[in-house]
Amino acid sequence: MKAVQAYRFALDLTPVQERAVLAHAGAARVAYNWALARVKAVMDQRAAERTYGVSEELLTASLSWSLPALRRSWNAAKDGVAPWWRECSKEAFNTGLDALARALKNWSDCRSGKRAGRAMGFPRFRSRRRSVPSVRFTTGTMRVEADRKHVVLPRLGRLKLHESARKLARRLDNGTARIMSATVRRDGGRWQVAFCVEVDRADRTPGCPGSVVGVDVGVTHLAVLSTGELVDNPRHLAAAQTRLRRLGRALSRKTGPDRRTGQRPSQRWARASARLGRAHARVSNLRRDGLHKLTTRLARTHGTVVVEDLNVAGMLRNPRLARHITDAGFGELRRQLAYKTAWNGGRLIVADRWYPSSKTCSGCGAVKAKLPLSERTYTCTTCGIILDRDLNAARNLAALATGMDTAGSGPVTGRGADRKTRPGGLVATKRQPGTANAGQTGTVPPQGRTTDHMLARAH
Ligand SMILES: [Zn+2]
């Protein structure tokens, strides 16, 4: 099967190379900001003309927001706007214009209701200080050197990798991979190159095709499996978080920037801020590593993986839960399981959001009316079973898959195998809280909320 996947490697740039990459990233930002300013100017002009009562056909012509059109107008104006444009690859300007074209499309799709998910704001100008420097190459020579420790990119030349690129190099050598683009960006104080690669993956079957595993993502553990296994958070994560808090306190004692008084940050603040940034990056690296190891193991071992469809966006709005949820990376776990089960020939089942996996007894099936989050053990009043709350939920999820196989239907949403035929269909029309189907819960849609999501799902 063909799959598009990313290979990301840390880079060891020389100071000269770092300046070259920063120049390209800056060029991308200049093109982005210039095009955004033009788009805004035309929009404001048209709005003003409308207030004077100018008829629609006599208004200033609107700009096309497509990438080719933005590129054409940039090429016509670049001699005046950026007379130094020859110093950078044209891919740099393309990076910025492409980002703007996509941002504008997302915004307009969101306004016209074509785009699901949270409301998108209108694109904003990018600042040198706040934005992440990044440049993407889509054409030209992009290859991994034979020593597998260097990559060659257009204009930037030969860059040393911090780690071996052997996994990508092997695929490139035997012809099962084709590099489509390469992005160089700075992430948490470290430069990285990400290759977007079209890979021809061999068909696989999971180690135990018949086995079913329910996964309950927990707060104290990374996950609890229906097999009774508790998957711990990666080691060092707690230690890294202690350090994070300490660095945060140290930063707050130093003189930071202040917009109101025009106070510039001190050198010590800048250094402390960089330290804190690196510590944040380390925490997120540890978390991502633990999550990837877990999802790869699950997808390679079990034929069917069952997870819950958690309302992550809604839960993040609860400030007391937010930190724990982002810690565990609930949404990311599901996203990884979706593509990894597809790669490994397994399937992922996502239980309906309203399925009471925690409140149901995995022994006798009795459902409790209430189960506060503080209650960590499940005690059934009907059959007297006593077990860990998360383990109980994981067992219920696993039982859901077995029930679905025999009954053919149930309160579940199939995923994985049928993802190919309906790409993103179910993801895009995710139900929002307050728009439940009638009969499932008694939630009434709040005033003024449309039920688009529910209707889209009913098709
Ligand atoms: Zn029971």
Side-chain angles (χ1 to χ4, degrees):
M1 66 180 286
K2 291 251 189 222
V4 174
Q5 69 182 89
Y7 284 84
R8 189 159 67 151
F9 306 106
L11 287 167
D12 283 335
L13 296 182
T14 65
V16 174
Q17 287 169 342
E18 189 173 356
R19 272 200 296 281
V21 179
L22 281 173
H24 277 75
R29 210 182 54 243
V30 166
Y32 175 96
N33 285 340
W34 174 83
L36 178 57
R38 250 181 75 101
V39 166
K40 278 188 154 180
V42 171
M43 282 172 82
D44 290 348
Q45 176 69 25
R46 283 168 66 88
E49 284 169 1
R50 274 202 196 94
T51 61
Y52 301 145
V54 179
S55 61
E56 280 295 317
E57 60 269 25
L58 291 176
L59 290 179
T60 309
S62 65
L63 281 181
S64 166
W65 289 355
S66 71
L67 175 58
L70 289 177
R71 211 157 37 193
R72 265 196 304 280
S73 48
W74 167 257
N75 282 332
K78 66 186 174 186
D79 282 319
V81 181
W84 42 265
W85 61 264
R86 279 181 194 83
E87 288 166 32
C88 292
S89 164
K90 68 175 166 41
E91 295 279 356
F93 306 106
N94 192 51
T95 305
L97 297 175
D98 180 48
L100 180 65
R102 267 185 290 170
L104 289 169
K105 183 177 184 300
N106 285 344
W107 176 74
S108 68
D109 282 358
C110 185
R111 282 192 83 192
S112 60
K114 267 189 277 178
R115 188 179 195 275
R118 197 185 286 187
M120 300 283 298
F122 192 77
R124 290 192 291 182
F125 289 110
R126 289 188 173 177
S127 97
R128 185 166 60 88
R129 284 178 204 286
R130 308 281 314 257
S131 62
V132 173
S134 121
V135 58
R136 187 166 61 116
F137 296 93
T138 52
T139 52
T141 325
M142 293 177 281
R143 62 184 154 88
V144 179
E145 293 267 69
D147 66 355
R148 295 172 178 189
K149 293 284 273 180
H150 294 84
V151 292
V152 175
L153 295 181
R155 276 300 177 105
L156 301 174
R158 193 161 174 267
L159 309 178
K160 186 177 180 298
L161 294 177
H162 188 72
E163 52 197 323
S164 169
R166 59 182 187 282
K167 285 195 173 175
L168 175 59
R170 255 184 244 136
R171 280 204 176 274
L172 290 172
D173 288 346
N174 66 20
T176 55
R178 188 173 64 84
I179 295 177
M180 302 199 304
S181 70
T183 308
V184 181
R185 72 198 295 262
R186 191 169 61 195
D187 194 8
R190 165 161 266 170
W191 287 98
Q192 291 178 331
V193 59
F195 290 101
C196 182
V197 183
E198 192 186 51
V199 176
D200 201 0
R201 295 186 68 90
D203 288 332
R204 302 174 73 124
T205 44
C208 317
S211 98
V212 175
V213 67
V215 185
D216 184 82
V217 271
V219 167
T220 46
H221 292 89
L222 185 60
V224 178
L225 309 185
S226 59
T227 52
E229 187 190 330
L230 303 175
V231 185
D232 254 324
N233 274 317
R235 285 189 313 138
H236 314 305
L237 188 62
Q241 268 160 345
T242 313
R243 186 175 146 77
L244 206 62
R245 277 192 284 275
R246 192 165 54 74
L247 289 173
R249 282 198 301 273
L251 181 69
S252 74
R253 286 194 296 267
K254 298 184 172 53
T255 314
D258 193 334
R259 277 233 177 134
R260 287 164 302 174
T261 58
Q263 172 75 49
R264 300 289 298 270
S266 69
Q267 288 293 318
R268 282 161 189 254
W269 183 89
R271 280 202 299 273
S273 173
R275 269 199 293 274
L276 181 63
R278 280 197 299 274
H280 268 294
R282 180 174 159 76
V283 168
S284 89
N285 288 346
L286 286 168
R287 191 181 295 143
R288 187 172 53 230
D289 180 52
L291 215 52
H292 267 298
K293 280 174 176 158
L294 169 68
T295 51
T296 299
R297 179 160 64 92
L298 289 174
R300 286 203 180 150
T301 318
H302 303 282
T304 306
V305 183
V306 193
V307 291
E308 240 175 324
D309 177 15
L310 289 168
N311 175 13
V312 177
M315 285 166 92
L316 283 177
R317 253 172 263 137
N318 178 345
R320 296 169 90 190
L321 277 175
R323 200 175 63 83
H324 292 303
I325 291 159
T326 40
D327 259 17
F330 286 177
E332 182 63 11
L333 178 110
R334 212 182 78 183
R335 189 189 71 84
Q336 289 179 11
L337 279 175
Y339 74 77
K340 285 184 185 180
T341 46
W343 284 357
N344 287 286
R347 64 175 177 155
L348 176 69
I349 294 174
V350 179
D352 191 280
R353 181 168 301 165
W354 312 107
Y355 175 67
S357 63
S358 299
K359 291 177 192 154
T360 310
C361 171
S362 60
C364 66
V367 182
K368 284 192 182 194
K370 258 201 174 128
L371 184 68
L373 260 176
S374 55
E375 241 173 72
R376 298 318 301 170
T377 50
Y378 187 94
T379 313
C380 182
T381 46
T382 317
C383 67
I385 196 171
I386 299 173
L387 81 170
D388 179 72
R389 174 204 176 97
D390 298 329
L391 177 59
N392 178 56
R395 286 196 183 159
N396 282 326
L397 288 172
L400 207 57
T402 359
M404 193 185 71
D405 284 341
T406 47
S409 68
V412 291
T413 333
R415 273 283 183 78
D418 63 19
R419 252 174 83 85
K420 267 184 290 181
T421 46
R422 289 156 61 190
L426 287 163
V427 190
T429 58
K430 198 154 57 185
R431 222 183 307 131
Q432 300 300 307
T435 58
N437 282 336
Q440 275 179 316
T441 68
T443 326
V444 177
Q447 289 287 316
R449 189 192 286 268
T450 60
T451 47
D452 283 355
H453 298 287
M454 199 180 90
L455 294 172
R457 201 188 150 89
H459 288 306

